[in-house]
Amino acid sequence: MAAGSREQWNSRVGFIAAAVGSAVGLGNMWRFSYLTAEKGGAAFVALYLIFTAAVGLPVMLAELTLGRGARKSPIQALAHYGGDRWKWLGAVFVAAGFIILSYYSVIAGWTVRYACEAIFTGFSDDPGQHFAAIREGWSAFLFHAVFMGATMGVVSGGVIRGIERVAVIAMPALFVLVCGIALYAATLDGAQVGYRYYLNADFTNAFSMDVLISAAGQAFFSLSLGMGAMLTFASYLPRDSHLPNASLAIAGADFGVAFLAGLMVFPLIFALGLQSDVSESTLGALFVALPKAFVSMGGVGRFVGLCFFVALVVGALTSAISLLEVVVSAAVDGLGWARQRATLVLGLVITALGGLAAWNIAVLDVMDQVANNLFLVGGGFALAVFVGWVMKDPIGEVEIGAEGVRWFLGWRILMRFVVPAVLLVVLYHSIPTTIKNIWELLTTL
Ligand code: PHE
């Protein structure tokens, strides 16, 4: 590539596939299901949907606008619109990328391991004990390192030959797998009990602060918002792309896959009477309850389980790619490093950092809370303040390529008032809890 020129997506579909690939991942399948189980089923789903539409979607459009307009990675993009005074926010985004990818890849490593087991040995007869044995320690680190290696391989290939090429194959494949498993789950006796839990709203505890905080954190995590991933991908867009439509497509696909994931997980778990395994949910519950379900279904279960974990691996890979791309593009734009060198050096740093999460699952849990409740929600808040109050003429920027579209004009109002206000309330309540959890972790280590 000639110096100074920036890579650009090959096609509109390629960009959408990569952005959906970033959004759809462990967040939709693992995190969404376990939070839905923990926070009371359908009421949580409803709240999460409201957050996605009213808070997530506007922030998504903001990230796409900043990225496409500046054609730079987050630190330079913020400086482009806000001057050097705003560079810190881009740096916070990059820091979030380091933290999230380091533990995300450990969970992804578990899914790689389970997919291999489905192929070579079958799932263990005692999934609880098995998970306890593999979730931490050297073997967890090894699978994490393998997964990081694959992520680095794709990112070092660049935007078109690496990221886009993988996404246009991986995303349709993932969609077919998820639909297939959801259809299969529908045929199980007792599936209705699962649907009832998942879809019948019980709003009695829906409006507790705790549920609200989780729904907000989950919306940001699942849409890959608040840390510049969407911003970075949008920096490779041509100037005339239609951003409001793109953000609708990405958010719609993300919610769609989360919803489908619920349609596969809950019937499976309830049909086999495993709800007690999930109700006192911890972040590992699905890695215990689902293999139990698969084992009890015999040969078919092994195949369905293989499809399930392959879908998780594929989703995790395309998300991890976007996390690493944030960090790599920051080094390429900011330090002038070559892409391959940035990928190798920073990928190895993240692999090492992930050692902390692979060493102790309690550390992983706290990293996840810090990343979501502080970094992503905090990043989203700062971004809303920036676009709502600091940036000159955001509407003029977003309108390029979408002239005459009117529905998003409410966007400015949402970014000025609604999004910052809601996120401020969430932060106000989540910061003390998160600090308390960090403190508890430090005192028990
Ligand atoms: N959205 C991804 C998922 O749902 C995770 C992610 C978060 C990716 C933040 C990039 C940035 O799995």
Side-chain angles (χ1 to χ4, degrees):
M1 213 184 14
S5 73
R6 193 173 184 78
E7 263 198 287
Q8 218 172 66
W9 302 105
N10 234 337
S11 68
R12 231 166 54 89
V13 176
F15 163 70
I16 296 288
V20 171
S22 168
V24 170
L26 297 174
N28 305 61
M29 292 180 267
W30 154 76
R31 209 165 182 282
F32 172 77
S33 316
Y34 106 73
L35 280 177
T36 303
E38 185 180 85
K39 309 291 176 193
F44 174 78
V45 181
L47 259 181
Y48 165 64
L49 179 61
I50 295 172
F51 258 104
T52 299
V55 179
L57 200 57
V59 175
M60 168 84 68
L61 190 52
E63 286 208 21
L64 297 187
T65 306
L66 290 174
R68 179 191 64 176
R71 313 194 44 127
K72 294 271 172 21
S73 52
I75 300 180
Q76 270 81 14
L78 280 153
H80 177 89
Y81 284 110
D84 282 357
R85 272 185 310 151
W86 280 88
K87 275 190 167 170
W88 65 270
L89 182 56
V92 171
F93 287 173
V94 176
F98 270 95
I99 300 178
I100 298 179
L101 183 51
S102 67
Y103 76 82
Y104 194 86
S105 166
V106 174
I107 304 165
W110 300 341
T111 66
V112 172
R113 180 183 185 118
Y114 276 52
C116 293
E117 286 176 357
I119 299 174
F120 298 112
T121 58
F123 297 111
S124 154
D125 292 332
D126 187 348
Q129 203 204 16
H130 180 65
F131 181 65
I134 63 106
R135 65 186 193 187
E136 294 159 346
W138 281 108
S139 98
F141 184 78
L142 188 74
F143 281 93
H144 149 67
V146 167
F147 182 83
M148 276 305 297
T151 308
M152 288 155 68
V154 178
V155 171
S156 68
V159 176
I160 299 175
R161 284 189 314 118
I163 302 174
E164 181 168 353
R165 197 156 63 175
V166 169
V168 293
I169 301 168
M171 282 301 104
L174 180 136
F175 191 70
V176 169
L177 284 173
V178 174
C179 287
I181 301 171
L183 284 176
Y184 170 76
T187 66
L188 297 172
D189 284 338
Q192 309 83 298
V193 197
Y195 293 136
R196 208 167 303 134
Y197 177 78
Y198 181 39
L199 302 173
N200 249 355
D202 164 11
F203 284 97
T204 41
N205 66 353
F207 298 107
S208 78
M209 240 331 134
D210 171 53
V211 178
L212 224 62
I213 292 170
S214 309
Q218 173 63 9
F220 273 80
F221 184 80
S222 188
L223 290 168
S224 307
L225 295 177
M227 54 143 301
M230 290 296 165
L231 189 162
T232 305
F233 273 10
S235 74
Y236 306 115
L237 273 175
R239 190 95 183 113
D240 60 354
S241 36
H242 197 303
L243 300 185
N245 279 359
S247 53
L248 268 184
I250 301 163
D254 187 59
F255 183 80
V257 174
F259 190 74
L260 276 170
L263 289 181
M264 53 182 194
V265 168
F266 290 103
L268 275 171
I269 288 174
F270 279 78
L272 292 141
L274 298 169
Q275 47 273 45
S276 63
D277 282 333
V278 195
S279 58
E280 81 261 18
S281 178
T282 62
L283 96 207
L286 285 186
F287 289 89
V288 177
L290 284 174
K292 264 192 199 165
F294 297 139
V295 167
S296 70
M297 287 161 22
V300 192
R302 185 159 165 186
F303 179 69
V304 177
L306 173 63
C307 294
F308 179 80
F309 285 108
V310 167
L312 280 176
V313 172
V314 169
L317 181 65
T318 51
S319 298
I321 288 169
S322 73
L323 286 160
L324 186 56
E325 179 62 24
V326 170
V327 175
V328 165
S329 72
V332 171
D333 287 353
L335 306 173
W337 286 13
R339 170 174 284 272
Q340 275 77 4
R341 173 171 174 218
T343 310
L344 184 68
V345 173
L346 300 172
L348 288 177
V349 172
I350 292 170
T351 307
L353 190 64
L356 288 174
W359 161 63
N360 186 333
I361 195 172
V363 177
L364 190 159
D365 195 5
V366 167
M367 284 170 100
D368 184 50
Q369 290 176 33
V370 169
N372 286 284
N373 302 344
L374 299 185
F375 276 84
L376 297 189
V377 176
F381 171 73
L383 209 60
V385 170
F386 181 74
V387 172
W389 298 95
V390 178
M391 185 177 169
K392 289 196 201 72
D393 196 21
I395 293 279
E397 286 286 320
V398 87
E399 256 184 337
I400 300 166
E403 291 82 4
V405 179
R406 286 277 157 260
W407 62 260
F408 64 82
L409 290 181
W411 176 61
R412 187 82 195 278
I413 299 173
L414 286 174
M415 290 305 277
R416 286 206 133 175
F417 304 105
V418 180
V419 176
V422 171
L423 294 182
L424 203 58
V425 173
V426 171
L427 281 170
Y428 176 79
H429 286 91
S430 67
I431 289 175
T433 327
T434 311
I435 291 178
K436 191 176 116 245
N437 289 344
I438 298 174
W439 179 249
E440 267 170 20
L441 173 73
L442 291 177
T443 50
T444 50
L445 280 182

